[in-house]
Amino acid sequence: MKKSIYGAMTALVTPFKNGKIDEDGYEKLIKRQIKNGIDAVVPVGTTGESATLTHDEHRICIEIAVNACKNSDVKVLAGAGSNATHEAIGLAEFAQNCGADGILSVAPYYNKPTQEGLYQHYKAISKSVDIPILLYNVPSRTGCDILPETIIRLFNDCDNIYGVKEASGNIERCVDILAHEPKIYLLSGDDAINYPVLSNGGKGVISVTSNLLPDQTSALTHYAMQNEFLKAKEINDKLYNINKVLFCESNPIPIKAAMYIAGLIDSLEYRLPLVTPSSENLKKIESIMKTYDIKGF
């Protein structure tokens, strides 16, 4: 059986202070995740503003996550993707050498490779490291769609590629993949359909909402994985409004605003070209947050 990282996972935000990574704040956020039942943290994915971090900052975030999780059962699935294969390999090798448990590798963005190009890209990454690799398909952001047949081909041909974070928002795509290869670990990358994905055989979630509500996201995921689907759906329904408002603008704009409102990050800072939400959306976020019990540190 392939080594795998699954369950309730959080796509971590990256807090900034005066334009730099708030390293102490980042560690506190991760320890809060550990305290509230999350199985793995995912530093420097899309939610972590990886596209605007320097490579040095990217590595710092991975190091902090590994150190924060060292004396716990929580795994680190490090973001280590790029649209240049050699850069993706470099980040993957760093993550492995640093002690990450696995890597999340986003589809190459902007340059629009063919399916054969995607296959060769991921095969090269797979050969460069031994730790588990989770593919990350998010075509709305990358302009590139890893098709089910390519995902299955990679799963069958590469010993350490164990699954995919599917963030197309298309539940039929999830059904398609698992119908043709039920051994793949398919994880939901879209909070709005976490429950449908889990109830169809998904092996977990990589959530944005769990930055704010790790305890509830963890409970939803664990109930579903224990076949307690009615309990899972009840939580999923309660999370609907917050899931919706956290995507009222481009991720991670709303979730960072929510974290700031909740007192979980000290400064509401983004890297340009991302900016703070409109005043109207800030009011919506704050209003909906009042209906949830948000755990502090």
Side-chain angles (χ1 to χ4, degrees), residues 14 21 26 43-46 48-65 78-82 87-88 90-92 94-95 98 103-104 106 109 271:
T14 303
I21 295 171
Y26 196 50
V44 281
T46 305
E49 296 176 75
S50 56
T52 52
L53 296 184
T54 67
H55 281 195
D56 283 344
E57 288 173 326
H58 197 116
R59 294 183 179 101
I60 287 167
C61 287
I62 294 173
E63 287 176 334
I64 292 170
S82 173
E87 286 186 0
L91 290 171
F94 175 84
C98 182
I103 62 166
L104 176 70
V106 70
Y109 40 86
R271 284 278 169 86

PDB file of all heavy atoms in Angstrom, residues 14 21 26 43-46 48-65 78-82 87-88 90-92 94-95 98 103-104 106 109 271:
ATOM      1  N   THR A  14      -0.829  32.500   5.232  1.00  0.00           N
ATOM      2  CA  THR A  14       0.489  32.989   5.649  1.00  0.00           C
ATOM      3  C   THR A  14       0.317  34.389   6.225  1.00  0.00           C
ATOM      4  O   THR A  14       0.013  35.328   5.484  1.00  0.00           O
ATOM      5  CB  THR A  14       1.459  33.034   4.460  1.00  0.00           C
ATOM      6  OG1 THR A  14       1.563  31.741   3.868  1.00  0.00           O
ATOM      7  CG2 THR A  14       2.840  33.492   4.918  1.00  0.00           C
ATOM      8  N   ILE A  21       6.898  37.789   6.617  1.00  0.00           N
ATOM      9  CA  ILE A  21       6.168  36.696   7.258  1.00  0.00           C
ATOM     10  C   ILE A  21       6.210  36.884   8.765  1.00  0.00           C
ATOM     11  O   ILE A  21       7.279  37.106   9.356  1.00  0.00           O
ATOM     12  CB  ILE A  21       6.782  35.328   6.889  1.00  0.00           C
ATOM     13  CG1 ILE A  21       6.632  35.055   5.391  1.00  0.00           C
ATOM     14  CG2 ILE A  21       6.109  34.198   7.684  1.00  0.00           C
ATOM     15  CD1 ILE A  21       7.410  33.837   4.916  1.00  0.00           C
ATOM     16  N   TYR A  26       2.647  32.627  12.664  1.00  0.00           N
ATOM     17  CA  TYR A  26       2.445  31.423  11.847  1.00  0.00           C
ATOM     18  C   TYR A  26       2.518  30.169  12.713  1.00  0.00           C
ATOM     19  O   TYR A  26       1.686  29.272  12.606  1.00  0.00           O
ATOM     20  CB  TYR A  26       3.513  31.394  10.759  1.00  0.00           C
ATOM     21  CG  TYR A  26       3.252  30.454   9.615  1.00  0.00           C
ATOM     22  CD1 TYR A  26       2.036  30.440   8.940  1.00  0.00           C
ATOM     23  CD2 TYR A  26       4.247  29.582   9.161  1.00  0.00           C
ATOM     24  CE1 TYR A  26       1.817  29.593   7.862  1.00  0.00           C
ATOM     25  CE2 TYR A  26       4.048  28.736   8.090  1.00  0.00           C
ATOM     26  CZ  TYR A  26       2.829  28.743   7.443  1.00  0.00           C
ATOM     27  OH  TYR A  26       2.613  27.901   6.378  1.00  0.00           O
ATOM     28  N   PRO A  43       1.243  23.966   4.445  1.00  0.00           N
ATOM     29  CA  PRO A  43       1.835  25.297   4.295  1.00  0.00           C
ATOM     30  C   PRO A  43       2.093  25.617   2.828  1.00  0.00           C
ATOM     31  O   PRO A  43       2.321  24.721   2.009  1.00  0.00           O
ATOM     32  CB  PRO A  43       3.156  25.176   5.060  1.00  0.00           C
ATOM     33  CG  PRO A  43       3.518  23.725   4.964  1.00  0.00           C
ATOM     34  CD  PRO A  43       2.215  22.972   4.934  1.00  0.00           C
ATOM     35  N   VAL A  44       2.050  26.886   2.507  1.00  0.00           N
ATOM     36  CA  VAL A  44       2.382  27.466   1.197  1.00  0.00           C
ATOM     37  C   VAL A  44       1.687  26.798   0.012  1.00  0.00           C
ATOM     38  O   VAL A  44       2.305  26.489  -1.000  1.00  0.00           O
ATOM     39  CB  VAL A  44       3.910  27.576   0.961  1.00  0.00           C
ATOM     40  CG1 VAL A  44       4.455  28.773   1.692  1.00  0.00           C
ATOM     41  CG2 VAL A  44       4.669  26.327   1.382  1.00  0.00           C
ATOM     42  N   GLY A  45       0.377  26.603   0.165  1.00  0.00           N
ATOM     43  CA  GLY A  45      -0.442  26.301  -0.997  1.00  0.00           C
ATOM     44  C   GLY A  45      -1.002  27.600  -1.541  1.00  0.00           C
ATOM     45  O   GLY A  45      -0.516  28.696  -1.233  1.00  0.00           O
ATOM     46  N   THR A  46      -2.048  27.514  -2.346  1.00  0.00           N
ATOM     47  CA  THR A  46      -2.683  28.718  -2.897  1.00  0.00           C
ATOM     48  C   THR A  46      -3.137  29.651  -1.783  1.00  0.00           C
ATOM     49  O   THR A  46      -2.936  30.874  -1.853  1.00  0.00           O
ATOM     50  CB  THR A  46      -3.894  28.326  -3.757  1.00  0.00           C
ATOM     51  OG1 THR A  46      -3.478  27.403  -4.763  1.00  0.00           O
ATOM     52  CG2 THR A  46      -4.527  29.533  -4.411  1.00  0.00           C
ATOM     53  N   GLY A  48      -1.918  30.013   1.051  1.00  0.00           N
ATOM     54  CA  GLY A  48      -0.755  30.608   1.696  1.00  0.00           C
ATOM     55  C   GLY A  48      -0.051  31.659   0.857  1.00  0.00           C
ATOM     56  O   GLY A  48       1.058  32.077   1.200  1.00  0.00           O
ATOM     57  N   GLU A  49      -0.692  32.091  -0.224  1.00  0.00           N
ATOM     58  CA  GLU A  49      -0.130  33.123  -1.111  1.00  0.00           C
ATOM     59  C   GLU A  49       1.236  32.730  -1.669  1.00  0.00           C
ATOM     60  O   GLU A  49       2.136  33.555  -1.838  1.00  0.00           O
ATOM     61  CB  GLU A  49      -0.075  34.481  -0.402  1.00  0.00           C
ATOM     62  CG  GLU A  49      -1.453  35.019  -0.039  1.00  0.00           C
ATOM     63  CD  GLU A  49      -1.421  36.324   0.741  1.00  0.00           C
ATOM     64  OE1 GLU A  49      -1.155  37.385   0.151  1.00  0.00           O
ATOM     65  OE2 GLU A  49      -1.668  36.251   1.970  1.00  0.00           O
ATOM     66  N   SER A  50       1.368  31.442  -1.992  1.00  0.00           N
ATOM     67  CA  SER A  50       2.656  30.939  -2.478  1.00  0.00           C
ATOM     68  C   SER A  50       3.123  31.649  -3.746  1.00  0.00           C
ATOM     69  O   SER A  50       4.326  31.790  -3.978  1.00  0.00           O
ATOM     70  CB  SER A  50       2.567  29.434  -2.736  1.00  0.00           C
ATOM     71  OG  SER A  50       1.508  29.134  -3.632  1.00  0.00           O
ATOM     72  N   ALA A  51       2.175  32.121  -4.544  1.00  0.00           N
ATOM     73  CA  ALA A  51       2.543  32.755  -5.816  1.00  0.00           C
ATOM     74  C   ALA A  51       3.317  34.057  -5.627  1.00  0.00           C
ATOM     75  O   ALA A  51       4.028  34.493  -6.541  1.00  0.00           O
ATOM     76  CB  ALA A  51       1.288  33.018  -6.658  1.00  0.00           C
ATOM     77  N   THR A  52       3.197  34.665  -4.450  1.00  0.00           N
ATOM     78  CA  THR A  52       3.897  35.945  -4.223  1.00  0.00           C
ATOM     79  C   THR A  52       4.964  35.848  -3.137  1.00  0.00           C
ATOM     80  O   THR A  52       5.524  36.865  -2.731  1.00  0.00           O
ATOM     81  CB  THR A  52       2.891  37.060  -3.874  1.00  0.00           C
ATOM     82  OG1 THR A  52       2.050  36.627  -2.815  1.00  0.00           O
ATOM     83  CG2 THR A  52       2.031  37.411  -5.076  1.00  0.00           C
ATOM     84  N   LEU A  53       5.261  34.640  -2.675  1.00  0.00           N
ATOM     85  CA  LEU A  53       6.367  34.456  -1.735  1.00  0.00           C
ATOM     86  C   LEU A  53       7.658  34.212  -2.497  1.00  0.00           C
ATOM     87  O   LEU A  53       7.654  33.601  -3.564  1.00  0.00           O
ATOM     88  CB  LEU A  53       6.105  33.255  -0.822  1.00  0.00           C
ATOM     89  CG  LEU A  53       4.914  33.307   0.138  1.00  0.00           C
ATOM     90  CD1 LEU A  53       4.897  32.051   1.004  1.00  0.00           C
ATOM     91  CD2 LEU A  53       4.937  34.545   1.004  1.00  0.00           C
ATOM     92  N   THR A  54       8.761  34.672  -1.951  1.00  0.00           N
ATOM     93  CA  THR A  54      10.055  34.306  -2.519  1.00  0.00           C
ATOM     94  C   THR A  54      10.331  32.838  -2.182  1.00  0.00           C
ATOM     95  O   THR A  54       9.689  32.252  -1.302  1.00  0.00           O
ATOM     96  CB  THR A  54      11.187  35.168  -1.937  1.00  0.00           C
ATOM     97  OG1 THR A  54      11.344  34.837  -0.539  1.00  0.00           O
ATOM     98  CG2 THR A  54      10.896  36.651  -2.085  1.00  0.00           C
ATOM     99  N   HIS A  55      11.282  32.249  -2.869  1.00  0.00           N
ATOM    100  CA  HIS A  55      11.640  30.857  -2.568  1.00  0.00           C
ATOM    101  C   HIS A  55      12.157  30.717  -1.139  1.00  0.00           C
ATOM    102  O   HIS A  55      11.890  29.715  -0.465  1.00  0.00           O
ATOM    103  CB  HIS A  55      12.668  30.333  -3.577  1.00  0.00           C
ATOM    104  CG  HIS A  55      12.052  29.938  -4.880  1.00  0.00           C
ATOM    105  ND1 HIS A  55      12.699  29.173  -5.814  1.00  0.00           N
ATOM    106  CD2 HIS A  55      10.825  30.194  -5.399  1.00  0.00           C
ATOM    107  CE1 HIS A  55      11.909  28.975  -6.855  1.00  0.00           C
ATOM    108  NE2 HIS A  55      10.775  29.588  -6.631  1.00  0.00           N
ATOM    109  N   ASP A  56      12.899  31.714  -0.664  1.00  0.00           N
ATOM    110  CA  ASP A  56      13.375  31.669   0.718  1.00  0.00           C
ATOM    111  C   ASP A  56      12.202  31.696   1.698  1.00  0.00           C
ATOM    112  O   ASP A  56      12.192  30.953   2.694  1.00  0.00           O
ATOM    113  CB  ASP A  56      14.309  32.848   1.005  1.00  0.00           C
ATOM    114  CG  ASP A  56      15.702  32.627   0.426  1.00  0.00           C
ATOM    115  OD1 ASP A  56      16.022  31.466   0.079  1.00  0.00           O
ATOM    116  OD2 ASP A  56      16.456  33.608   0.315  1.00  0.00           O
ATOM    117  N   GLU A  57      11.217  32.551   1.440  1.00  0.00           N
ATOM    118  CA  GLU A  57      10.040  32.621   2.306  1.00  0.00           C
ATOM    119  C   GLU A  57       9.257  31.306   2.260  1.00  0.00           C
ATOM    120  O   GLU A  57       8.745  30.843   3.287  1.00  0.00           O
ATOM    121  CB  GLU A  57       9.145  33.779   1.878  1.00  0.00           C
ATOM    122  CG  GLU A  57       9.718  35.151   2.206  1.00  0.00           C
ATOM    123  CD  GLU A  57       8.887  36.276   1.627  1.00  0.00           C
ATOM    124  OE1 GLU A  57       8.307  36.110   0.533  1.00  0.00           O
ATOM    125  OE2 GLU A  57       8.817  37.341   2.273  1.00  0.00           O
ATOM    126  N   HIS A  58       9.158  30.735   1.080  1.00  0.00           N
ATOM    127  CA  HIS A  58       8.486  29.452   0.906  1.00  0.00           C
ATOM    128  C   HIS A  58       9.137  28.397   1.813  1.00  0.00           C
ATOM    129  O   HIS A  58       8.455  27.654   2.535  1.00  0.00           O
ATOM    130  CB  HIS A  58       8.605  29.040  -0.570  1.00  0.00           C
ATOM    131  CG  HIS A  58       7.664  27.974  -1.004  1.00  0.00           C
ATOM    132  ND1 HIS A  58       6.693  28.171  -1.947  1.00  0.00           N
ATOM    133  CD2 HIS A  58       7.547  26.681  -0.629  1.00  0.00           C
ATOM    134  CE1 HIS A  58       6.020  27.051  -2.143  1.00  0.00           C
ATOM    135  NE2 HIS A  58       6.527  26.129  -1.356  1.00  0.00           N
ATOM    136  N   ARG A  59      10.435  28.367   1.788  1.00  0.00           N
ATOM    137  CA  ARG A  59      11.176  27.381   2.596  1.00  0.00           C
ATOM    138  C   ARG A  59      11.008  27.659   4.089  1.00  0.00           C
ATOM    139  O   ARG A  59      10.879  26.728   4.891  1.00  0.00           O
ATOM    140  CB  ARG A  59      12.653  27.406   2.198  1.00  0.00           C
ATOM    141  CG  ARG A  59      12.904  26.934   0.771  1.00  0.00           C
ATOM    142  CD  ARG A  59      14.410  26.913   0.445  1.00  0.00           C
ATOM    143  NE  ARG A  59      14.640  26.441  -0.906  1.00  0.00           N
ATOM    144  CZ  ARG A  59      14.910  27.226  -1.950  1.00  0.00           C
ATOM    145  NH1 ARG A  59      14.989  28.545  -1.775  1.00  0.00           N
ATOM    146  NH2 ARG A  59      15.103  26.716  -3.142  1.00  0.00           N
ATOM    147  N   ILE A  60      10.996  28.920   4.468  1.00  0.00           N
ATOM    148  CA  ILE A  60      10.811  29.279   5.885  1.00  0.00           C
ATOM    149  C   ILE A  60       9.467  28.752   6.394  1.00  0.00           C
ATOM    150  O   ILE A  60       9.381  28.196   7.494  1.00  0.00           O
ATOM    151  CB  ILE A  60      10.914  30.807   6.073  1.00  0.00           C
ATOM    152  CG1 ILE A  60      12.370  31.255   5.935  1.00  0.00           C
ATOM    153  CG2 ILE A  60      10.357  31.237   7.433  1.00  0.00           C
ATOM    154  CD1 ILE A  60      12.538  32.765   5.790  1.00  0.00           C
ATOM    155  N   CYS A  61       8.434  28.924   5.596  1.00  0.00           N
ATOM    156  CA  CYS A  61       7.101  28.453   6.005  1.00  0.00           C
ATOM    157  C   CYS A  61       7.089  26.939   6.215  1.00  0.00           C
ATOM    158  O   CYS A  61       6.489  26.435   7.171  1.00  0.00           O
ATOM    159  CB  CYS A  61       6.058  28.847   4.967  1.00  0.00           C
ATOM    160  SG  CYS A  61       5.652  30.599   4.943  1.00  0.00           S
ATOM    161  N   ILE A  62       7.732  26.209   5.316  1.00  0.00           N
ATOM    162  CA  ILE A  62       7.796  24.746   5.469  1.00  0.00           C
ATOM    163  C   ILE A  62       8.552  24.380   6.746  1.00  0.00           C
ATOM    164  O   ILE A  62       8.123  23.517   7.521  1.00  0.00           O
ATOM    165  CB  ILE A  62       8.451  24.097   4.230  1.00  0.00           C
ATOM    166  CG1 ILE A  62       7.560  24.294   2.990  1.00  0.00           C
ATOM    167  CG2 ILE A  62       8.688  22.601   4.475  1.00  0.00           C
ATOM    168  CD1 ILE A  62       8.205  23.840   1.681  1.00  0.00           C
ATOM    169  N   GLU A  63       9.675  25.053   6.990  1.00  0.00           N
ATOM    170  CA  GLU A  63      10.474  24.774   8.191  1.00  0.00           C
ATOM    171  C   GLU A  63       9.676  25.031   9.469  1.00  0.00           C
ATOM    172  O   GLU A  63       9.716  24.233  10.408  1.00  0.00           O
ATOM    173  CB  GLU A  63      11.741  25.625   8.191  1.00  0.00           C
ATOM    174  CG  GLU A  63      12.788  25.187   7.186  1.00  0.00           C
ATOM    175  CD  GLU A  63      13.992  26.122   7.138  1.00  0.00           C
ATOM    176  OE1 GLU A  63      13.825  27.309   7.488  1.00  0.00           O
ATOM    177  OE2 GLU A  63      15.085  25.665   6.744  1.00  0.00           O
ATOM    178  N   ILE A  64       8.944  26.134   9.499  1.00  0.00           N
ATOM    179  CA  ILE A  64       8.145  26.457  10.680  1.00  0.00           C
ATOM    180  C   ILE A  64       7.083  25.389  10.904  1.00  0.00           C
ATOM    181  O   ILE A  64       6.857  24.936  12.036  1.00  0.00           O
ATOM    182  CB  ILE A  64       7.501  27.855  10.537  1.00  0.00           C
ATOM    183  CG1 ILE A  64       8.567  28.953  10.571  1.00  0.00           C
ATOM    184  CG2 ILE A  64       6.471  28.089  11.654  1.00  0.00           C
ATOM    185  CD1 ILE A  64       8.049  30.328  10.193  1.00  0.00           C
ATOM    186  N   ALA A  65       6.420  24.973   9.836  1.00  0.00           N
ATOM    187  CA  ALA A  65       5.373  23.957   9.960  1.00  0.00           C
ATOM    188  C   ALA A  65       5.936  22.633  10.466  1.00  0.00           C
ATOM    189  O   ALA A  65       5.356  21.989  11.352  1.00  0.00           O
ATOM    190  CB  ALA A  65       4.673  23.763   8.617  1.00  0.00           C
ATOM    191  N   ALA A  78       3.563  19.657   2.478  1.00  0.00           N
ATOM    192  CA  ALA A  78       4.104  20.955   2.071  1.00  0.00           C
ATOM    193  C   ALA A  78       3.755  21.289   0.630  1.00  0.00           C
ATOM    194  O   ALA A  78       3.931  20.459  -0.275  1.00  0.00           O
ATOM    195  CB  ALA A  78       5.622  20.960   2.247  1.00  0.00           C
ATOM    196  N   GLY A  79       3.287  22.514   0.410  1.00  0.00           N
ATOM    197  CA  GLY A  79       3.111  22.993  -0.955  1.00  0.00           C
ATOM    198  C   GLY A  79       4.461  23.068  -1.634  1.00  0.00           C
ATOM    199  O   GLY A  79       5.400  23.655  -1.098  1.00  0.00           O
ATOM    200  N   ALA A  80       4.574  22.442  -2.799  1.00  0.00           N
ATOM    201  CA  ALA A  80       5.875  22.397  -3.487  1.00  0.00           C
ATOM    202  C   ALA A  80       5.673  22.300  -4.992  1.00  0.00           C
ATOM    203  O   ALA A  80       6.276  21.468  -5.659  1.00  0.00           O
ATOM    204  CB  ALA A  80       6.709  21.219  -2.979  1.00  0.00           C
ATOM    205  N   GLY A  81       4.814  23.155  -5.514  1.00  0.00           N
ATOM    206  CA  GLY A  81       4.540  23.117  -6.947  1.00  0.00           C
ATOM    207  C   GLY A  81       5.085  24.340  -7.657  1.00  0.00           C
ATOM    208  O   GLY A  81       5.389  25.361  -7.039  1.00  0.00           O
ATOM    209  N   SER A  82       5.187  24.234  -8.974  1.00  0.00           N
ATOM    210  CA  SER A  82       5.631  25.356  -9.803  1.00  0.00           C
ATOM    211  C   SER A  82       5.243  25.070 -11.249  1.00  0.00           C
ATOM    212  O   SER A  82       4.964  23.917 -11.606  1.00  0.00           O
ATOM    213  CB  SER A  82       7.148  25.527  -9.704  1.00  0.00           C
ATOM    214  OG  SER A  82       7.606  26.506 -10.619  1.00  0.00           O
ATOM    215  N   GLU A  87      11.982  23.926 -10.852  1.00  0.00           N
ATOM    216  CA  GLU A  87      11.691  24.626  -9.597  1.00  0.00           C
ATOM    217  C   GLU A  87      10.849  23.749  -8.676  1.00  0.00           C
ATOM    218  O   GLU A  87      11.063  23.722  -7.458  1.00  0.00           O
ATOM    219  CB  GLU A  87      10.964  25.937  -9.881  1.00  0.00           C
ATOM    220  CG  GLU A  87      11.851  27.025 -10.452  1.00  0.00           C
ATOM    221  CD  GLU A  87      11.118  28.355 -10.574  1.00  0.00           C
ATOM    222  OE1 GLU A  87       9.926  28.430 -10.225  1.00  0.00           O
ATOM    223  OE2 GLU A  87      11.764  29.327 -11.024  1.00  0.00           O
ATOM    224  N   ALA A  88       9.872  23.053  -9.231  1.00  0.00           N
ATOM    225  CA  ALA A  88       9.040  22.150  -8.433  1.00  0.00           C
ATOM    226  C   ALA A  88       9.882  21.051  -7.803  1.00  0.00           C
ATOM    227  O   ALA A  88       9.684  20.681  -6.638  1.00  0.00           O
ATOM    228  CB  ALA A  88       7.930  21.550  -9.301  1.00  0.00           C
ATOM    229  N   GLY A  90      13.077  21.287  -7.052  1.00  0.00           N
ATOM    230  CA  GLY A  90      13.875  21.902  -5.995  1.00  0.00           C
ATOM    231  C   GLY A  90      13.099  22.081  -4.709  1.00  0.00           C
ATOM    232  O   GLY A  90      13.609  21.792  -3.614  1.00  0.00           O
ATOM    233  N   LEU A  91      11.853  22.536  -4.811  1.00  0.00           N
ATOM    234  CA  LEU A  91      11.012  22.701  -3.621  1.00  0.00           C
ATOM    235  C   LEU A  91      10.667  21.352  -3.002  1.00  0.00           C
ATOM    236  O   LEU A  91      10.628  21.212  -1.777  1.00  0.00           O
ATOM    237  CB  LEU A  91       9.740  23.470  -3.987  1.00  0.00           C
ATOM    238  CG  LEU A  91       9.927  24.951  -4.332  1.00  0.00           C
ATOM    239  CD1 LEU A  91       8.634  25.530  -4.889  1.00  0.00           C
ATOM    240  CD2 LEU A  91      10.375  25.742  -3.097  1.00  0.00           C
ATOM    241  N   ALA A  92      10.404  20.354  -3.842  1.00  0.00           N
ATOM    242  CA  ALA A  92      10.078  19.014  -3.337  1.00  0.00           C
ATOM    243  C   ALA A  92      11.262  18.431  -2.570  1.00  0.00           C
ATOM    244  O   ALA A  92      11.099  17.851  -1.484  1.00  0.00           O
ATOM    245  CB  ALA A  92       9.685  18.098  -4.491  1.00  0.00           C
ATOM    246  N   PHE A  94      13.667  20.102  -1.128  1.00  0.00           N
ATOM    247  CA  PHE A  94      13.825  20.849   0.121  1.00  0.00           C
ATOM    248  C   PHE A  94      12.834  20.346   1.160  1.00  0.00           C
ATOM    249  O   PHE A  94      13.196  20.125   2.331  1.00  0.00           O
ATOM    250  CB  PHE A  94      13.619  22.348  -0.097  1.00  0.00           C
ATOM    251  CG  PHE A  94      13.656  23.125   1.193  1.00  0.00           C
ATOM    252  CD1 PHE A  94      14.868  23.519   1.738  1.00  0.00           C
ATOM    253  CD2 PHE A  94      12.485  23.419   1.891  1.00  0.00           C
ATOM    254  CE1 PHE A  94      14.915  24.204   2.942  1.00  0.00           C
ATOM    255  CE2 PHE A  94      12.521  24.103   3.082  1.00  0.00           C
ATOM    256  CZ  PHE A  94      13.735  24.501   3.622  1.00  0.00           C
ATOM    257  N   ALA A  95      11.568  20.181   0.774  1.00  0.00           N
ATOM    258  CA  ALA A  95      10.534  19.724   1.706  1.00  0.00           C
ATOM    259  C   ALA A  95      10.908  18.373   2.300  1.00  0.00           C
ATOM    260  O   ALA A  95      10.776  18.146   3.515  1.00  0.00           O
ATOM    261  CB  ALA A  95       9.184  19.655   0.998  1.00  0.00           C
ATOM    262  N   CYS A  98      13.834  18.720   4.695  1.00  0.00           N
ATOM    263  CA  CYS A  98      13.436  19.484   5.871  1.00  0.00           C
ATOM    264  C   CYS A  98      12.637  18.639   6.872  1.00  0.00           C
ATOM    265  O   CYS A  98      12.520  18.985   8.042  1.00  0.00           O
ATOM    266  CB  CYS A  98      12.608  20.675   5.401  1.00  0.00           C
ATOM    267  SG  CYS A  98      12.062  21.785   6.682  1.00  0.00           S
ATOM    268  N   ILE A 103       4.272  16.092  -0.048  1.00  0.00           N
ATOM    269  CA  ILE A 103       4.144  17.359  -0.753  1.00  0.00           C
ATOM    270  C   ILE A 103       2.827  17.415  -1.527  1.00  0.00           C
ATOM    271  O   ILE A 103       2.294  16.393  -1.961  1.00  0.00           O
ATOM    272  CB  ILE A 103       5.320  17.638  -1.716  1.00  0.00           C
ATOM    273  CG1 ILE A 103       5.402  16.574  -2.818  1.00  0.00           C
ATOM    274  CG2 ILE A 103       6.620  17.755  -0.963  1.00  0.00           C
ATOM    275  CD1 ILE A 103       6.309  16.975  -3.970  1.00  0.00           C
ATOM    276  N   LEU A 104       2.339  18.642  -1.668  1.00  0.00           N
ATOM    277  CA  LEU A 104       1.189  18.946  -2.513  1.00  0.00           C
ATOM    278  C   LEU A 104       1.726  19.705  -3.722  1.00  0.00           C
ATOM    279  O   LEU A 104       2.363  20.749  -3.561  1.00  0.00           O
ATOM    280  CB  LEU A 104       0.184  19.807  -1.753  1.00  0.00           C
ATOM    281  CG  LEU A 104      -1.041  20.285  -2.534  1.00  0.00           C
ATOM    282  CD1 LEU A 104      -1.972  19.122  -2.846  1.00  0.00           C
ATOM    283  CD2 LEU A 104      -1.792  21.365  -1.747  1.00  0.00           C
ATOM    284  N   VAL A 106       0.881  21.553  -7.168  1.00  0.00           N
ATOM    285  CA  VAL A 106      -0.145  22.155  -8.011  1.00  0.00           C
ATOM    286  C   VAL A 106       0.193  21.950  -9.492  1.00  0.00           C
ATOM    287  O   VAL A 106       1.362  21.898  -9.883  1.00  0.00           O
ATOM    288  CB  VAL A 106      -0.304  23.660  -7.684  1.00  0.00           C
ATOM    289  CG1 VAL A 106       0.909  24.465  -8.151  1.00  0.00           C
ATOM    290  CG2 VAL A 106      -1.596  24.221  -8.265  1.00  0.00           C
ATOM    291  N   TYR A 109       0.959  26.239 -13.882  1.00  0.00           N
ATOM    292  CA  TYR A 109       0.038  27.306 -14.237  1.00  0.00           C
ATOM    293  C   TYR A 109       0.590  28.137 -15.387  1.00  0.00           C
ATOM    294  O   TYR A 109       1.783  28.187 -15.640  1.00  0.00           O
ATOM    295  CB  TYR A 109      -0.244  28.205 -13.026  1.00  0.00           C
ATOM    296  CG  TYR A 109       0.991  28.461 -12.185  1.00  0.00           C
ATOM    297  CD1 TYR A 109       1.868  29.494 -12.480  1.00  0.00           C
ATOM    298  CD2 TYR A 109       1.296  27.616 -11.117  1.00  0.00           C
ATOM    299  CE1 TYR A 109       3.005  29.703 -11.737  1.00  0.00           C
ATOM    300  CE2 TYR A 109       2.446  27.815 -10.361  1.00  0.00           C
ATOM    301  CZ  TYR A 109       3.294  28.854 -10.673  1.00  0.00           C
ATOM    302  OH  TYR A 109       4.431  29.037  -9.941  1.00  0.00           O
ATOM    303  N   ARG A 271      -0.087  40.247  -0.016  1.00  0.00           N
ATOM    304  CA  ARG A 271       0.921  40.618  -1.003  1.00  0.00           C
ATOM    305  C   ARG A 271       0.197  41.080  -2.271  1.00  0.00           C
ATOM    306  O   ARG A 271      -0.659  40.364  -2.789  1.00  0.00           O
ATOM    307  CB  ARG A 271       1.810  39.410  -1.329  1.00  0.00           C
ATOM    308  CG  ARG A 271       2.833  39.075  -0.259  1.00  0.00           C
ATOM    309  CD  ARG A 271       4.067  39.969  -0.396  1.00  0.00           C
ATOM    310  NE  ARG A 271       4.943  39.865   0.753  1.00  0.00           N
ATOM    311  CZ  ARG A 271       5.889  38.923   0.890  1.00  0.00           C
ATOM    312  NH1 ARG A 271       6.060  38.016  -0.048  1.00  0.00           N
ATOM    313  NH2 ARG A 271       6.652  38.915   1.957  1.00  0.00           N
TER     314      ARG A 271
END
